[in-house]
């Protein structure tokens, strides 16, 4: 299961310190100060100030750093919750059916003795 908790995290970044957000999606908001955001996949760094937000997609490997060396920045990270939609449930149901069919086929194949099959005794050509 790929679900994350819905709790947001608030971090204080001291000047000159960085934090890796990882590869998940979510929303980054600056509560106080300014932060430098790098690694969004588009090659463009951004500087965000108090009250600004940035939405991040899955697979965006992002690092944030306090912009001003002498001033701490406070940020809030709200991860996106990955829930199960209808498409995911349908996929789980199909996977379960495929496992059941494979299991039934395996049982049927194991119950046929050599020579009992029409193909093995030459009836089918």
């Amino acid at each position: 299961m790929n679900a994350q908790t819905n709790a947001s995290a608030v971090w204080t970044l001291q000047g000159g310190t960085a934090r890796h957000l990882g590869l998940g999606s979510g929303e980054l908001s600056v509560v106080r100060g300014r932060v430098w955001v790098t690694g969004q996949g588009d090659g463009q760094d951004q500087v965000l100030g108090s009250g600004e937000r940035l939405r991040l997609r899955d697979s965006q490997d992002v690092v944030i750093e306090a912009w001003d060396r002498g001033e701490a920045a406070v940020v809030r990270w709200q991860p996106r919750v990955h829930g199960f939609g209808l498409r995911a449930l349908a996929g789980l149901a199909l996977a379960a059916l495929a496992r059941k069919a494979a299991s039934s086929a395996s049982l049927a194949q194991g119950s046929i003795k050599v020579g009992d099959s029409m193909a093995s005794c030459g009836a089918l050509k």
Side-chain angles (χ1 to χ4, degrees):
M1 194 173 351
N2 194 17
Q4 297 177 340
T5 62
N6 197 16
S8 63
V10 177
W11 301 309
T12 299
L13 299 170
Q14 299 300 324
T17 62
R19 181 165 191 107
H20 184 250
L21 290 182
L23 296 174
S25 63
E27 184 176 87
L28 176 70
S29 5
V30 181
V31 176
R32 188 182 79 227
R34 292 191 305 174
V35 295
W36 177 18
V37 183
T38 188
Q40 299 173 67
D42 59 5
Q44 299 293 318
D45 292 354
Q46 279 187 278
V47 177
L48 301 176
S50 293
E52 293 185 298
R53 298 179 201 183
L54 180 64
R55 289 182 189 251
L56 301 170
R57 300 182 317 269
D58 278 337
S59 79
Q60 285 184 286
D61 193 10
V62 174
V63 175
I64 57 173
E65 184 176 345
W67 178 255
D68 299 315
R69 291 219 178 258
E71 182 184 339
V74 179
V75 297
R76 176 176 289 117
W77 171 244
Q78 177 70 48
R80 180 174 163 257
V81 176
H82 297 278
F84 283 109
L86 290 177
R87 189 175 292 176
L89 288 175
L92 290 173
L94 286 174
L97 285 172
R99 283 192 302 273
K100 184 171 172 84
S103 175
S104 295
S106 176
L107 286 173
Q109 192 176 33
S111 65
I112 297 174
K113 296 179 186 148
V114 175
D116 287 350
S117 161
M118 290 179 72
S120 66
C121 53
L124 296 177
K125 293 187 181 184

